[in-house]
Amino acid sequence: QKTPASLILLFGATGDLAKRKLYPSLYNLFEKGLLSDRFAVVGVARRLKGNEDFRNWVKDSIMTFGERSDQLEEFISHFYYQSHDVSDSSSYTQLKQLVDRLDEQYRLEGNRIFYLAMSPEFFGTVAGHLKADGLTETNGFKRLVIEKPFGHDLQSAIELNNEIRKAFLEEEIYRIDHYLGKEMVQNIEVIRFANAIFEPLWNNRYISNIQVTSSEILGVEDRARYYDKNGALRDMVQNHMMQIVSLLAMEPPIRLTTDEIRSEKVKVLRALRAIKPEEVHQFFVRGQYDQGMINGKEVPAYRDELNVSPDSNTETFVAGKLLIDNFRWAGVPFYIRTGKRMRKKSTKIVVQFKDIPMNLYYKNGSHLNPNLLVINVQPEEGITLHLNVKKTGQIMETTPIKLNFSTNSIDGMNTPEAYEKLLYDCLRGDATNFTHWDEVALSWKFIDTISTVWEQEKGDFPNYQAGSTGPKCSDELLAKDGFCWWSDT
Ligand code: NAD
């Protein structure tokens, strides 16, 4: 199904995100024939000179980061550029003229997407101007797409939300959480709700714990200025990790509509047990990387990175235990873990099932491995089910095996980029895989207690080596409940 005719007004058109993700993703939609022929993109930034310069920029982005480029010339002919400082009130009038002209030229029916791929400090200003200068006055649809971070805590998120709500309705706001565009994150729902064998077991009677890990090999790279003020808790847990937990824990929606799905996810966040300040250390631990070896190369400690203060108290690792107080999940811990400069790049979910009542095959200390359902989100995509079977031969002994499904090997090609799917959804007006304000607010409320406690105390940093699986306290968090991280499953 093709997207409707529309204009995309892209603020931050020369930024890293636009270059690495947005242009290649939009191009893929175009080449697959999913993008309406009636589309135009207006890039807004300060650096470039004009349309020609911008088109070369987009071309370069697709040649560098995209997979294909056969119809590039045709594609970039839809791109227009306006040099514009977003805090300069006078230039919005000019922008409106350009947008109105393109609307007519491409018969865009007044449909407009305003994509803010720039620092959140500008979101309020831009939204305000779009309304005041008449760009949001249109006969078609208008949608605002914004990137993370959505605020720094609950208070700043509320302020930001109030500002953009002056110009857009909640249903017109598309808050990107690119994890929600990932193939296997979208697959959580399907695995759960399209299979008879999982849903009956998907509760506290059969599941002992659930683990969500997102680890990176990369360090802070050139994002230190942003990262050092935020840390892993705000950068990863408040959004991506909480979103994955709500998809894993939500009740089946009555139908697959945006409102129904979001409402089930919100209920999970409402059932999340709030942590009291004095309990923070019991439920959450943090870490910061020290120097170490990665792929045979020495890498510096976080505190020695460019633009990081030598006594930085910012965490580059978080592990935590979440409890969801409802009938389905009472007593089942959801462990989450995320960190930079870890041993491997991996995002995965492990569902550990409870042990069976007795081991009939017990022999000299032998034990049965628990059944695990592993959902690999990235870089591998697929699911693995861990079972016990009979060891071949005369004796009755068990051995663990893995039933494996990998989308990479089945389709023979990479699944579409998260951004490609999210742009497509947004153009079609499907907000299911974007974050609703209620989710943002509830998750900040939960996170704020932890960050407040952590800010008041100096972390025992650095406490894990680059290239390791994180600090010892992370293993201890599970060990005290009698569990361990399934790192190599
Ligand atoms: P960036 O710093 O690379 O780009 C910023 C863009 O904004 C540039 O095009 C710049 O010209 C423009 N800009 C800055 N000030 C301006 C002004 N006053 N007037 C007009 N234009 C101005 O940033 P980025 O990495 O592309 O990130 C953009 C947004 O996406 C941020 O909210 C970021 O947190 C978010 N994000 C980025 C990534 C990523 O992979 N880069 C991932 C997730 C979220």
Side-chain angles (χ1 to χ4, degrees):
Q1 189 199 350
K2 270 196 198 270
T3 60
S6 47
L7 179 120
I8 302 173
L9 187 50
L10 177 62
F11 291 87
T14 53
D16 176 69
L17 181 75
K19 189 158 191 159
R20 282 191 308 116
K21 304 286 184 194
L22 304 184
Y23 302 135
S25 301
L26 205 58
Y27 178 74
N28 283 354
L29 292 178
F30 177 77
E31 218 195 68
K32 289 177 185 168
L34 293 171
L35 199 59
S36 163
D37 306 330
R38 291 187 287 144
F39 84 97
V41 177
V42 174
V44 173
R46 293 174 302 181
R47 195 175 331 176
L48 303 175
K49 291 193 195 73
N51 291 350
E52 227 19 66
D53 211 11
F54 181 42
R55 287 175 186 178
N56 285 333
W57 181 274
V58 174
K59 211 160 138 178
D60 183 55
S61 135
I62 293 162
M63 310 272 269
T64 315
F65 300 103
E67 293 150 24
R68 290 171 290 239
S69 56
D70 299 347
Q71 300 168 27
L72 205 46
E73 292 303 326
E74 163 65 14
F75 179 69
I76 58 165
S77 72
H78 293 254
F79 282 67
Y80 299 82
Y81 183 74
Q82 161 131 347
S83 173
H84 166 125
D85 190 316
V86 295
S87 32
D88 171 10
S89 313
S90 61
S91 43
Y92 286 87
T93 325
Q94 230 181 322
L95 193 57
K96 179 169 165 25
Q97 285 165 359
L98 173 62
V99 165
D100 287 344
R101 179 169 71 72
L102 293 173
D103 200 292
E104 220 169 281
Q105 183 182 333
Y106 287 91
R107 294 181 293 118
L108 302 176
E109 298 169 22
N111 293 333
R112 288 175 193 176
I113 307 245
F114 304 97
Y115 199 125
L116 309 194
M118 61 193 314
S119 165
E121 68 183 286
F122 298 116
F123 291 176
T125 316
V126 177
H129 274 297
L130 292 176
K131 184 177 164 82
D133 293 303
L135 281 114
T136 53
E137 254 168 59
T138 167
N139 297 328
F141 61 69
K142 61 175 202 295
R143 294 178 191 140
L144 179 74
V145 185
I146 48 181
E147 284 289 338
K148 76 170 190 183
F150 199 88
H152 182 77
D153 51 19
L154 179 58
Q155 192 48 41
S156 58
I158 290 175
E159 285 162 21
L160 178 58
N161 202 48
N162 288 344
E163 281 193 85
I164 58 177
R165 282 296 307 275
K166 286 182 195 151
F168 294 88
L169 300 171
E170 171 62 29
E171 56 266 33
E172 293 169 333
I173 302 171
Y174 288 65
R175 297 178 193 82
I176 294 237
D177 184 317
H178 69 276
Y179 270 56
L180 295 181
K182 291 184 188 293
E183 189 68 18
M184 290 311 292
V185 172
Q186 296 191 348
N187 218 335
I188 294 174
E189 245 176 72
V190 184
I191 292 166
R192 286 189 55 193
F193 304 135
N195 292 295
I197 59 167
F198 294 126
E199 199 46 31
L201 307 182
W202 210 259
N203 55 53
N204 51 10
R205 270 166 293 154
Y206 299 101
I207 289 178
S208 83
N209 71 91
I210 295 186
Q211 307 179 2
V212 184
T213 299
S214 182
S215 62
E216 289 179 83
I217 293 177
L218 289 180
V220 69
E221 308 302 297
D222 51 7
R223 288 173 71 221
R225 236 183 273 273
Y226 155 79
Y227 194 84
D228 203 43
K229 284 197 227 97
N230 289 279
L233 187 67
R234 292 186 172 99
D235 189 47
M236 290 293 297
V237 180
Q238 184 271 337
N239 36 45
H240 313 314
M241 308 298 274
M242 302 280 267
Q243 283 292 328
I244 294 182
V245 168
S246 29
L247 286 170
L248 287 165
M250 74 180 191
E251 292 300 316
I254 54 172
R255 60 183 82 83
L256 289 180
T257 58
T258 305
D259 287 351
E260 295 302 343
I261 294 175
R262 281 174 159 185
S263 129
E264 294 306 336
K265 284 168 68 194
V266 167
K267 276 193 220 155
V268 173
L269 295 171
R270 283 171 50 204
L272 197 60
R273 187 183 304 174
I275 300 176
K276 297 190 190 80
E278 61 275 20
E279 294 170 335
V280 166
H281 298 303
Q282 196 186 321
F283 286 92
F284 272 76
V285 299
R286 56 181 162 163
Q288 188 193 72
Y289 61 81
D290 200 349
Q291 65 191 85
M293 296 292 280
I294 291 202
N295 296 332
K297 222 179 105 208
E298 180 87 28
V299 295
Y302 178 72
R303 286 176 176 173
D304 295 330
E305 302 268 20
L306 192 68
N307 295 323
V308 173
S309 82
D311 61 348
S312 170
N313 199 35
T314 303
E315 76 287 350
T316 59
F317 177 99
V318 176
K321 168 175 162 179
L322 311 178
L323 292 171
I324 297 164
D325 289 329
N326 61 20
F327 257 54
R328 187 186 284 264
W329 294 117
V332 179
F334 283 68
Y335 299 108
I336 52 151
R337 166 173 70 153
T338 180
K340 289 193 176 295
R341 283 280 187 241
M342 306 272 286
R343 186 166 50 113
K344 61 180 176 189
K345 176 179 170 67
S346 158
T347 300
K348 72 173 173 186
I349 298 153
V350 180
V351 179
Q352 178 177 344
F353 291 90
K354 286 191 171 166
D355 290 339
I356 46 169
M358 66 174 284
N359 179 2
L360 286 171
Y361 306 98
Y362 178 83
K363 215 167 264 154
N364 317 325
S366 74
H367 69 283
L368 283 176
N369 279 23
N371 293 127
L372 304 176
L373 172 68
V374 182
I375 303 177
N376 287 308
V377 177
Q378 66 180 21
E380 294 94 43
E381 294 182 333
I383 56 175
T384 308
L385 189 59
H386 293 234
L387 304 174
N388 295 301
V389 298
K390 181 182 167 301
K391 223 181 220 171
T392 334
Q394 273 72 4
I395 40 168
M396 202 42 115
E397 277 185 37
T398 64
T399 185
I401 56 128
K402 297 179 188 179
L403 292 183
N404 212 0
F405 159 74
S406 148
T407 59
N408 309 48
S409 61
I410 293 287
D411 296 343
M413 57 183 262
N414 284 335
T415 51
E417 255 291 341
Y419 274 96
E420 186 181 325
K421 286 196 255 174
L422 295 175
L423 278 169
Y424 183 62
D425 284 356
C426 173
L427 282 158
R428 287 181 310 128
D430 181 352
T432 312
N433 292 313
F434 295 81
T435 322
H436 188 273
W437 165 246
D438 292 350
E439 298 172 77
V440 176
L442 285 164
S443 100
W444 271 128
K445 197 167 159 215
F446 179 80
I447 292 294
D448 277 359
T449 316
I450 305 164
S451 49
T452 309
V453 169
W454 282 357
E455 266 154 32
Q456 286 160 357
E457 294 169 7
K458 205 87 189 123
D460 176 24
F461 295 155
N463 60 353
Y464 72 99
Q465 258 191 347
S468 70
T469 53
K472 231 172 69 203
C473 51
S474 152
D475 295 332
E476 289 162 0
L477 180 74
L478 273 67
K480 65 183 183 201
D481 294 341
F483 300 126
C484 63
W485 291 107
W486 295 101
S487 292
D488 293 307
T489 45

